[in-house]
Amino acid sequence: MTQPPQPPEKPGFGPPPEPEPSRSEQASPPEQPQQTPADPQTPADPQAQPGFGPPPGPAQPPAQQPPSAPGGPDLGKAPQPGYGYPQAPQPPQQSPQTAPQTPQTPPTVPVPGGPQPPPGYGYPQQPPAGYGYPGQPQPGRPGAYGQPQQPYGQQPYGQQPYGQQPYGYPHPTVPMQSQSGAPGQPGGGRKVNASLAIIVAAVVAIALIVGAGVWYSSAGGDEKKNTANSGDSGDTKGGEGGDSGGDTAGGDEKAPADPSSEVLFQVPAPKVPKDASTIVTSGSWTTDKVYAKSGVAEVVGYDAVKGDELWTLDLPGPVCEASDHATEDGRTAVIYKPAMPTKTKPQSCTQVAAFDLATGEKLWSETAKSGTQEISFNNVTISGNTVAAASTSGGAAWDITSGKALWAPKTSDACYDSGYGGGPKLVAVRKCGPYDQRQLHIQTIDPKDGKVLSEYKMSEGIEYAAVVSTDPLVVAADVGDSAGDGSGISDFFSIDNKSGALRTRISAPGEEFAARCDGITKIEHCSGLAVGKDRLYIATEEHESSGEGYSRTNEVVAFDLATGKQTGQRADAGDGYTIVPLRMDGDNVIAYKRPPYDKGGQIVSIDGGSFKETKLMENPAEKSVRDVEARMLPQHAEILYSRGRLYMSDVYASTLSSGDKEYLAIAFGTG
């Protein structure tokens, strides 16, 4: 998994103050002991720290590198229960009773200039010389939290190569009828007509192909080869390609007659106040008419197609965090600071506001207290008509229409809600016990009154967990800090919402899979994955592709949330592309393909059953457009696709510049 931005070094980042207890069923928050700002156990506001910076800039064209061994997950392996490390499948066996009895002719020798045997699938038998898309950050543009970032999914050289399997198994030479009599018996037989021999050979070949196809299908494998190469647009073709003008089964997103997109509009990067080097601009939403994006101390609504400003919601301070969800009638929520931060007064994220995406009208703004001190919130979400926010210093919930306080944590035990996951259900990540004996309780709760409906207790010692999905319930955690790459994920936990029982645990080694989650403060912020149809769809790490040149690629694979096993389905990005799941569309997966340095990105729909890819959009390849798109790294930027329109936006505004014109957001659309 890719290296995410690291939190800034600061005293007290980690354990809570005095452990705080479970949520109350009261209508308003009870009084809690006062928490002083000097409490070393309460983490400081990450946005107020120096070095909290924007993601790296766009990549530059590749420089030739020395050969290296192929890397990435071994997707040829059969999945193991609960873990999903693929194992190499065994070729189908023929019983002696059903094996063909005709003798085989000598192997076919390729003729120069004639048809050649197909190469092995996916990964080269000889490692290519170097790699393709280097994705180096722009000079002068540091990574988030002041740390330099690697390009999405790129792995260092020298990693151990994994099992290289040719695509499927070698097709046997078509057996030809012997000209010496009965099968297996030399000499004396009647000579067979040449035309008949050709017909027999064709029939046998068809039988072999059909038989092989049935076996692969029953094994759950995908026998179709991505035929994209460095000279085409990068979309899959043939059996995996999309039909122009067709619809994607099971979803709302339709494939246009022409997937070529154009730039609808761009939003220039806002000016950052002189007292700050970076300002958080987290939060973006789209409806059928509006694209809304957080700026510096504001949220602006733009015409979804033209980009004209429709409304502006002014705030006294910058947005700290925003809900990924909105109600059915287009209302959502943000956390913001009560004033603009300065060097002497960095401000805390104490304000929670709900607003209407159609008009920009602020519905209400509220705070909550722990004792006599206002709570500084880390995360906010929406489920039903409830807005829920939390941090190590406390949590609270409000009605999204009126702003009425609904419930808050109790003060009777040594637990506190570190954050919530929203959407179809409301899930709390509740921390109990002292720092060195922490236990996380994953609770499905009633959003109206905070009542616990079910609970799963994770093993002691797991300090952080992120909510990947609330229905079906999936949680990601770095168990024992074993991920090793800072992604926040070593394992996924599939949990039954009704009973709280663990359904299965899926191991996701960081060196094989490219998803990442921030379970420290942003409880439901994950990238590189999607959940639906009782499946977990996850991007693999980049590895060298089998195409020409020095390109790299990856795949999307699926895990069954009931068994923990890989389903055998996989969608290939294509040479030079990196594929990243964005969200579900019915039973289908909407994914973004980050392009090589000389092409535009793509949006594809992956059929949830066949895993057939349908191209919904391909962005322009002009350098001026590519430079803007390349800055929007999928693991940092907010990427929204809906109704044939793609919106990509940054989550920081910064005074640091590469010298090029900076943009906060860019929108693409098809005709």
Side-chain angles (χ1 to χ4, degrees):
M1 299 183 187
T2 57
Q3 179 72 27
Q6 301 299 318
E9 293 292 334
K10 54 183 179 294
F13 189 87
E18 289 300 321
E20 296 175 24
S22 67
R23 98 192 85 271
S24 170
E25 299 179 18
Q26 307 296 324
S28 61
E31 288 294 311
Q32 298 181 357
Q34 179 174 357
Q35 184 182 19
T36 64
D39 188 346
Q41 299 300 322
T42 302
D45 178 29
Q47 288 81 6
Q49 302 304 314
F52 191 91
Q60 301 299 321
Q64 187 169 0
Q65 302 291 334
S68 62
D74 185 353
L75 301 176
K77 300 178 185 176
Q80 296 298 318
Y83 286 90
Y85 300 108
Q87 304 293 326
Q90 298 301 315
Q93 302 295 326
Q94 281 186 314
S95 65
Q97 290 80 6
T98 60
Q101 297 300 313
T102 55
Q104 297 188 1
T105 59
T108 302
V109 178
V111 179
Q116 303 299 317
Y121 173 75
Y123 310 113
Q125 300 307 305
Q126 296 297 327
Y131 69 102
Y133 189 72
Q136 299 298 327
Q138 283 283 5
R141 180 113 186 228
Y145 296 92
Q147 302 297 327
Q149 299 296 319
Q150 288 186 341
Y152 180 76
Q154 183 167 315
Q155 295 298 299
Y157 289 110
Q159 67 182 26
Q160 189 69 21
Y162 56 97
Q164 300 180 19
Q165 293 291 336
Y167 174 67
Y169 298 97
H171 293 292
T173 304
V174 176
M176 300 294 289
Q177 177 69 35
S178 170
Q179 296 193 16
S180 56
Q185 297 180 4
R190 184 174 56 184
K191 202 168 189 178
V192 179
N193 181 281
S195 298
L196 178 59
I198 293 174
I199 294 172
V200 172
V203 171
V204 175
I206 292 172
L208 287 172
I209 293 171
V210 172
V214 170
W215 186 85
Y216 284 120
S217 175
S218 64
D222 185 356
E223 70 280 11
K224 298 171 184 176
K225 185 176 187 297
N226 186 326
T227 59
N229 55 51
S230 58
D232 61 30
S233 62
D235 61 311
T236 55
K237 299 178 180 178
E240 293 214 342
D243 298 325
S244 296
D247 295 343
T248 56
D252 295 328
E253 302 295 348
K254 312 302 180 183
D258 181 4
S260 299
S261 71
E262 62 180 4
V263 177
L264 298 178
F265 60 89
Q266 298 177 90
V267 179
K271 185 177 180 181
V272 176
K274 62 180 181 179
D275 290 332
S277 59
T278 59
I279 291 290
V280 174
T281 57
S282 177
S284 60
W285 308 264
T286 182
T287 69
D288 57 343
K289 296 180 180 180
V290 176
Y291 169 67
K293 173 62 187 171
S294 296
V296 174
E298 65 181 7
V299 180
V300 181
Y302 303 91
D303 183 283
V305 177
K306 299 178 181 179
D308 299 334
E309 291 190 17
L310 301 178
W311 51 260
T312 299
L313 171 61
D314 291 317
L315 300 170
V319 172
C320 303
E321 194 55 56
S323 172
D324 293 335
H325 307 285
T327 62
E328 292 183 357
D329 56 355
R331 292 173 293 178
T332 191
V334 294
I335 302 169
Y336 64 96
K337 297 183 177 183
M340 292 301 296
T342 64
K343 293 181 180 179
T344 57
K345 294 183 178 180
Q347 301 295 329
S348 297
C349 302
T350 56
Q351 313 295 307
V352 179
F355 65 96
D356 192 311
L357 288 170
T359 64
E361 176 189 2
K362 182 192 289 187
L363 304 175
W364 49 265
S365 180
E366 296 289 345
T367 62
K369 290 185 178 181
S370 174
T372 59
Q373 182 179 351
E374 288 186 341
I375 298 172
S376 181
F377 296 103
N378 289 332
N379 57 78
V380 63
T381 194
I382 292 173
S383 182
N385 287 317
T386 297
V387 176
S391 71
T392 58
S393 57
W398 302 266
D399 178 84
I400 196 168
T401 302
S402 64
K404 176 184 176 182
L406 299 178
W407 47 264
K410 290 181 180 178
T411 58
S412 59
D413 57 15
C415 299
Y416 68 95
D417 292 356
S418 62
Y420 302 103
K425 297 183 183 296
L426 187 61
V427 172
V429 176
R430 188 166 182 76
K431 292 190 175 185
C432 296
Y435 181 77
D436 56 348
Q437 292 181 317
R438 185 84 70 209
Q439 186 174 45
L440 301 183
H441 298 194
I442 309 301
Q443 299 176 334
T444 298
I445 60 181
D446 188 325
K448 295 180 180 179
D449 57 16
K451 180 181 178 181
V452 177
L453 303 178
S454 67
E455 180 178 76
Y456 169 70
K457 296 181 180 180
M458 304 185 77
S459 300
E460 286 189 7
I462 301 175
E463 182 65 25
Y464 304 107
V467 179
V468 177
S469 168
T470 61
D471 189 19
L473 178 53
V474 180
V475 171
D478 187 357
V479 180
D481 297 324
S482 58
D485 61 350
S487 63
I489 306 173
S490 67
D491 297 83
F492 292 96
F493 297 79
S494 174
I495 302 167
D496 186 275
N497 277 105
K498 294 182 179 180
S499 66
L502 179 67
R503 300 175 67 197
T504 190
R505 176 173 168 176
I506 300 170
S507 179
E511 68 273 13
E512 295 188 19
F513 298 99
R516 60 180 296 271
C517 291
D518 179 1
I520 299 175
T521 59
K522 302 177 181 180
I523 298 300
E524 59 178 351
H525 280 215
C526 296
S527 63
L529 48 74
V531 173
K533 200 183 176 181
D534 212 32
R535 300 283 190 272
L536 167 66
Y537 301 94
I538 183 170
T540 68
E541 280 287 5
E542 288 185 11
H543 55 81
E544 294 172 358
S545 72
S546 59
E548 299 176 358
Y550 315 115
S551 60
R552 296 175 69 80
T553 190
N554 77 326
E555 302 79 27
V556 169
V557 296
F559 287 89
D560 189 306
L561 292 176
T563 66
K565 297 180 180 180
Q566 280 197 38
T567 65
Q569 299 165 306
R570 89 186 222 175
D572 297 322
D575 293 338
Y577 288 80
T578 303
I579 190 168
V580 184
L582 298 179
R583 64 172 176 86
M584 299 301 297
D585 176 35
D587 289 343
N588 301 336
V589 182
I590 300 297
Y592 171 69
K593 286 188 177 183
R594 182 167 169 81
Y597 69 94
D598 58 347
K599 297 182 184 298
Q602 298 178 1
I603 293 291
V604 297
S605 176
I606 304 171
D607 186 278
S610 66
F611 252 49
K612 171 184 174 182
E613 293 180 35
T614 300
K615 184 163 63 175
L616 303 179
M617 175 179 286
E618 181 165 16
N619 294 335
E622 285 82 0
K623 184 178 184 303
S624 60
V625 179
R626 287 190 285 106
D627 286 348
V628 179
E629 182 177 3
R631 293 181 184 275
M632 307 296 181
L633 299 176
Q635 68 269 43
H636 298 299
E638 294 169 340
I639 302 178
L640 305 176
Y641 178 83
S642 179
R643 305 172 181 87
R645 299 188 293 268
L646 171 66
Y647 304 94
M648 308 178 75
S649 62
D650 208 341
V651 293
Y652 299 100
S654 174
T655 56
L656 302 175
S657 174
S658 63
D660 298 329
K661 188 172 182 179
E662 305 281 345
Y663 291 94
L664 178 64
I666 185 171
F668 300 92
T670 55

